[in-house]
Amino acid sequence: MPLLKIKSIFCKPTADTDRVAGFLGPFAELLDPLKGFLFCVGLFLIALPLLPKPLELAFCCWSIYLVMMAATIERKWFSLTSLPPLFVVVLAGSVRWGFGGAMILVGGEYPAASFYKVFSEHLYQAQLLWAIFSTALVFVFALAHKSQIKYANNIFKRLSNTNYQLVSKVALVAGVFTLLYVLTGVFSGTLDRSGVIYSYWVAKVWRADSLFVMFLRLKDVFFFIAPLAISSTNNTRLRVGIIVVLIASIGAAFLTGGRGIILYPLLYFIFGLWLTPLKPHLMRIFILIFLFVSLILVPAISLYRSSAGFAKSSRFDIPQRVQLISESIVNYGSADLKSRIQDTGGALYACSDPYLFVDPALSAPRAGFVRINRLWQTWLPTMVAPNKASLRDAHMIAAEITGTPRIQSENQKYTSFMCVSYVGDLYWRGGWLWVVSGSLIFSLFYRFISQFWYKLAGMSGLWNLFALVFPATFLIVYPAGSLGETFWLWLWDFPKYVMLIALIGFTGLGWNYFRNSTNHSA
């Protein structure tokens, strides 16, 4: 089958291969700190006449420089993964305040009635929050640079010890999990964005997809390791199964009207291609295709789910949904270019941090330790204690800074989820002093956690795979949300996956022991 003859597009890695140099070519020289800085200064000077907002533009260029320096610090680790711990966090932030900010600049002033008008007016202040946080991360990792180099010396030995059969099996299991999650969301309505049914499920604690949501990072894991599993397995049936599940999951997601459930899997798949020995020029082509498709899909899906036809359509009427998708993509070409850029910029920036710098948030007293006394509730699952106060309160803070009273923001039901960033929450609580100190504290903590990643990435079996893929999930689920969300992630969500892997590992050991005992007795 031609579909399965894919290995010709891969090249065999060698021990002297520098994946970054092979991918960037002559531009790899820009990863030198001085050359990279001069490049960003030049980019700023070239763009300034076109985008005459120097502070905002300077922060956009600074975000690019920080991504380059993160790649420099973890350069050796790119031979193992496309998303090492520092790089993925700095990149994910830069997409928001750097690239998203640049799109907001290019789009110009928003209409007076637009939610994002405040974004264009107070962008540089919100960018400063992110700049402090991202700079602190890079600075702390740079200071501790030498301590992780020793673990990177035998990367190719680690690659040669990769258990590709295990990767393929995990990919298939995670893929089936993903497909069942998407299909459950489509046909029950939990993922349907058409209005009434979505509002119904949002207000529920127990939902049709609750068991899937508990381990939703497995969805990101599937799309990230799928390329490696497809390219490395020699089992044709396993390869076909992974490909079928992959296509079916993304195809079904188009019916929901959601953007993230389509674009994020595609993004993870692109980064997952790096795990394979794909030829550099093909990798560049795939990235350009993804960027082109994303710039079309983000506004096109907005048109699709805001159309009258989508609101009236049944989630079971698949032909009608497919027709509406086609019409939205066609109508995208006739939409105003400026509005498309503005919609994309606002969607990428995502967080409502700019509202911190206008009333009512600007004149409100600092929130201090509001809701921090609830940290002990971290280990109480919402499905077990449905009336507990939520630690995941970024949407509550966003509602409050945009004018909703605090009591109401804590008790109302949400059908859409605005958010604030980690540093936005810190500013809301204690101003710039909290932002600086909180950024340094998290940077030190994250560097400490990353040290374990540098060590574990060299282990074999499930722990190696876990160490490889867990930081990759930070591309979408950022490791520092609001202060409450950050505690929730590191005290509940992260240990949950550690225990899951440990349980699977011990179960596997027990099964092997039982099988060996049975064989010996026979």
Side-chain angles (χ1 to χ4, degrees):
M1 294 175 63
L3 177 65
L4 302 178
K5 295 179 180 178
I6 58 176
K7 293 199 174 182
S8 61
I9 66 174
F10 298 100
C11 56
K12 186 177 180 180
T14 58
D16 58 351
T17 299
D18 182 347
R19 295 294 300 278
V20 173
F23 174 69
L24 294 178
F27 293 101
E29 292 293 324
L30 297 177
L31 296 184
D32 174 81
L34 179 58
K35 293 178 181 177
F37 181 76
L38 293 176
F39 168 78
C40 291
V41 170
L43 186 63
F44 171 80
L45 295 175
I46 292 171
L48 187 58
L50 303 174
L51 302 171
K53 286 193 173 183
L55 283 176
E56 291 89 339
L57 182 58
F59 281 127
C60 292
C61 294
W62 183 247
S63 75
I64 296 173
Y65 181 70
L66 291 177
V67 171
M68 295 164 66
M69 292 305 98
T72 300
I73 292 170
E74 293 185 320
R75 182 164 180 166
K76 286 192 174 184
W77 292 102
F78 282 95
S79 295
L80 186 66
T81 178
S82 56
L83 295 171
L86 173 63
F87 179 77
V88 65
V89 175
V90 176
L91 176 65
S94 180
V95 169
R96 293 165 170 83
W97 66 282
F99 188 62
M103 296 289 283
I104 291 173
L105 283 181
V106 173
E109 289 296 321
Y110 283 77
S114 173
F115 175 80
Y116 294 114
K117 181 172 176 58
V118 173
F119 282 53
S120 60
E121 295 174 345
H122 296 274
L123 179 62
Y124 74 93
Q125 292 161 298
Q127 286 178 309
L128 178 57
L129 295 171
W130 274 103
I132 292 171
F133 177 73
S134 298
T135 303
L137 271 172
V138 173
F139 177 73
V140 168
F141 272 73
L143 288 180
H145 178 53
K146 291 184 179 179
S147 65
Q148 55 96 353
I149 287 296
K150 61 181 180 181
Y151 297 111
N153 292 332
N154 297 316
I155 287 177
F156 281 93
K157 181 180 179 182
R158 301 172 187 198
L159 285 172
S160 64
N161 291 333
T162 301
N163 187 337
Y164 292 113
Q165 184 179 8
L166 174 65
V167 171
S168 300
K169 290 179 179 178
V170 170
L172 184 60
V173 172
V176 172
F177 171 92
T178 300
L179 180 59
L180 290 175
Y181 163 70
V182 175
L183 291 177
T184 300
V186 169
F187 291 107
S188 70
T190 55
L191 294 176
D192 193 286
R193 303 302 295 269
S194 60
V196 177
I197 188 65
Y198 182 76
S199 301
Y200 169 80
W201 281 115
V202 164
K204 299 292 184 181
V205 175
W206 282 96
R207 302 167 16 136
D209 60 356
S210 290
L211 294 178
F212 295 102
V213 172
M214 288 176 62
F215 296 98
L216 201 52
R217 289 180 192 266
L218 294 178
K219 173 175 64 70
D220 300 333
V221 167
F222 166 61
F223 290 106
F224 186 57
I225 66 174
L228 177 60
I230 293 170
S231 67
S232 62
T233 183
N234 293 318
N235 188 322
T236 301
R237 291 183 180 180
L238 196 58
R239 180 181 294 162
V240 171
I242 295 171
I243 293 174
V244 169
V245 169
L246 179 72
I247 295 173
S249 299
I250 296 177
F254 269 97
L255 303 174
T256 66
R259 291 178 299 202
I261 198 172
I262 299 168
L263 289 176
Y264 294 154
L266 293 175
L267 179 61
Y268 271 116
F269 188 84
I270 293 296
F271 277 103
L273 288 172
W274 187 273
L275 304 181
T276 70
L278 188 69
K279 295 177 181 178
H281 73 279
L282 289 175
M283 187 72 193
R284 291 191 288 267
I285 291 173
F286 279 122
I287 290 175
L288 291 175
I289 291 174
F290 172 77
L291 291 175
F292 176 75
V293 169
S294 298
L295 293 176
I296 293 176
L297 281 182
V298 169
I301 293 175
S302 295
L303 290 173
Y304 162 54
R305 71 183 186 191
S306 61
S307 65
F310 179 74
K312 297 176 181 178
S313 66
S314 169
R315 61 188 182 278
F316 301 109
D317 191 349
I318 295 178
Q320 184 183 12
R321 288 282 175 98
V322 173
Q323 181 182 354
L324 289 170
I325 294 170
S326 303
E327 291 174 356
S328 298
I329 293 175
V330 171
N331 293 336
Y332 164 84
S334 60
D336 176 55
L337 177 61
K338 180 178 178 181
S339 65
R340 293 194 310 237
I341 293 174
Q342 289 179 336
D343 289 344
T344 305
L348 285 173
Y349 201 93
C351 295
S352 303
D353 294 359
Y355 276 89
L356 290 164
F357 303 99
V358 296
D359 284 326
L362 183 63
S363 57
R366 296 298 177 197
F369 293 94
V370 168
R371 289 189 289 270
I372 298 300
N373 61 331
R374 302 172 180 175
L375 290 181
W376 67 272
Q377 298 178 345
T378 298
W379 293 279
L380 288 176
T382 303
M383 290 181 288
V384 175
N387 295 321
K388 77 162 190 172
S390 177
L391 277 177
R392 305 179 67 183
D393 60 351
H395 56 293
M396 299 177 191
I397 298 171
E400 184 174 337
I401 65 176
T402 53
T404 303
R406 181 171 299 166
I407 298 297
Q408 182 180 339
S409 70
E410 291 180 346
N411 293 285
Q412 70 183 18
K413 300 298 182 182
Y414 291 85
T415 56
S416 62
F417 291 88
M418 302 180 291
C419 69
V420 293
S421 65
Y422 172 72
V423 277
D425 185 4
L426 291 174
Y427 181 81
W428 176 68
R429 293 178 182 279
W432 293 109
L433 179 61
W434 279 48
V435 171
V436 174
S437 57
S439 296
L440 287 172
I441 290 171
F442 180 83
S443 298
L444 291 168
F445 165 76
Y446 189 63
R447 179 60 184 81
F448 173 76
I449 291 294
S450 297
Q451 189 70 8
F452 289 98
W453 183 91
Y454 296 133
K455 294 179 181 178
L456 283 174
M459 295 177 66
S460 60
L462 277 172
W463 287 111
N464 169 264
L465 192 58
F466 175 71
L468 179 71
V469 301
F470 194 82
T473 64
F474 294 154
L475 188 64
I476 307 304
V477 185
Y478 206 67
S482 68
L483 196 58
E485 287 178 340
T486 303
F487 278 106
W488 172 86
L489 187 150
W490 290 105
L491 295 178
W492 167 254
D493 197 46
F494 175 68
K496 177 175 63 180
Y497 287 93
V498 173
M499 289 187 288
L500 175 65
I501 299 299
L503 177 63
I504 294 173
F506 284 123
T507 302
L509 288 174
W511 171 250
N512 290 334
Y513 177 80
F514 173 78
R515 187 173 58 182
N516 292 335
S517 299
T518 304
N519 291 337
H520 288 153
S521 62

